[in-house]
Amino acid sequence: MTQQHRTRGTTPAVAAASGDRSSGDQTQRDIPQATVTRLASYLRVLEAMADSGIAIVSSGELADASGVGSAKLRKDLSFLGPNGVRGVGYDVRRLRARIESALGLERGHRVVIVGAGNLGRALAGYGGFAGRGFPVVGLFDTDPALVGTAVGAVTVRHLDVLAASCAEFEATIGVVATPDSAAQIVCDALVAAGLRRIMSFSPVQVEVPGGVELRVVDLAAELQVLSFHGIRNGHHEDGAATASSLDDAGTAPASSSRVRFPGPAVSPSPVSRNGSVIAP
């Protein structure tokens, strides 16, 4: 399960999704972490709408496409200041820009990955990150058989040059894709290299100093949660829907993984901005 580990001195609210405040005249209101997560979901839907040529969207349409209630969506967007026009709706591109600014995306990010095994190479080779503002600029390992090999345009470097490379690349985010036994060592190395935003795919508990944002993605836990929801929603192990999950016509309801909004339907795919984190 995706978790955010906090260090002493932090509060339940997030000053800004990027972990710092803008130095401009306008100071953002503190945004709760749950709202930050939903803002990222709204942004994904807005990107799909913009790509489909949709210019205006109502709060109800955006809420439905994002899988939340209209009241919750309006409350979330209120943290960004005035946005929509009553009776008209939201300007898709303008709201998208406001959310990108709140999430700190307009400043640009550059990602380095430590661990050039199957997971690390899959992450480095996924082109969808660059399309959403997170290009992978560096890949590191200690295995002599991997150092010097290439994943797309990225060449695997030795972990010994991590700090110098992060400065060269102007890296802003580090990703840990190593075995659990190396997770703490790699986190320490990323912090020493000056990174203050780290994502770890290792479920083990690691310690980071104050001022460092750490997100832990436990893929096995996510699968366990998916298993639970499948049972709760009445699905057999073979994937067939039970009678309780069928509609009145005896057919299974449409998949909720499809983004629904007026205009051309958009489904996640490896080549779209809504693709899987790891390309198949």
Side-chain angles (χ1 to χ4, degrees):
M1 183 177 298
T2 305
Q3 301 174 335
Q4 181 171 28
H5 289 235
R6 295 188 174 274
T7 53
R8 60 184 180 279
T10 56
T11 64
V14 178
S18 60
D20 54 18
R21 290 182 182 272
S22 171
S23 58
D25 295 334
Q26 183 178 1
T27 302
Q28 290 184 340
R29 297 171 56 189
D30 285 355
I31 304 179
Q33 179 59 46
T35 296
V36 173
T37 300
R38 289 192 293 270
L39 286 177
S41 297
Y42 305 152
L43 179 59
R44 183 172 61 247
V45 173
L46 289 167
E47 287 172 340
M49 289 181 170
D51 289 346
S52 298
I54 297 174
I56 301 294
V57 61
S58 69
S59 61
E61 292 166 342
L62 180 56
D64 180 63
S66 303
V68 302
S70 294
K72 179 173 291 185
L73 179 137
R74 288 193 294 270
K75 182 177 180 180
D76 289 340
L77 296 183
S78 71
F79 286 98
L80 308 180
N83 287 292
V85 177
R86 185 179 297 275
V88 177
Y90 299 102
D91 182 295
V92 170
R93 294 189 180 278
R94 182 175 301 173
L95 181 57
R96 172 183 171 182
R98 292 289 293 273
I99 295 178
E100 287 177 340
S101 178
L103 297 179
L105 302 182
E106 84 285 358
R107 304 164 192 162
H109 286 285
R110 289 156 298 281
V111 180
V112 295
I113 300 173
V114 179
N118 292 334
L119 176 59
R121 295 177 78 88
L123 292 171
Y126 173 56
F129 289 137
R132 297 182 67 179
F134 298 91
V136 175
V137 296
L139 182 59
F140 301 85
D141 208 289
T142 58
D143 187 343
L146 296 175
V147 174
T149 61
V151 178
V154 179
T155 299
V156 180
R157 298 187 179 189
H158 197 281
L159 187 61
D160 288 346
V161 299
L162 176 65
S165 297
C166 285
E168 173 190 345
F169 297 143
E170 297 183 335
T172 58
I173 294 177
V175 176
V176 180
T178 64
D180 296 348
S181 59
Q184 183 66 65
I185 296 173
V186 169
C187 277
D188 292 343
L190 289 169
V191 171
L195 296 184
R196 295 296 178 264
R197 303 174 185 91
I198 298 174
M199 174 175 286
S200 175
F201 282 88
S202 170
V204 300
Q205 181 76 29
V206 296
E207 298 294 331
V208 294
V212 174
E213 290 292 325
L214 173 66
R215 298 284 295 181
V216 175
V217 181
D218 187 342
L219 295 177
E222 295 292 343
L223 291 172
Q224 291 165 352
V225 172
L226 184 63
S227 173
F228 165 77
H229 286 297
I231 294 174
R232 186 184 66 176
N233 293 332
H235 292 274
H236 292 304
E237 290 185 358
D238 62 2
T242 63
S244 63
S245 64
L246 301 179
D247 60 21
D248 293 337
T251 59
S255 171
S256 60
S257 64
R258 192 174 184 83
V259 180
R260 300 182 299 276
F261 50 80
V266 177
S267 296
S269 69
V271 296
S272 74
R273 288 185 172 180
N274 297 317
S276 168
V277 170
I278 302 175

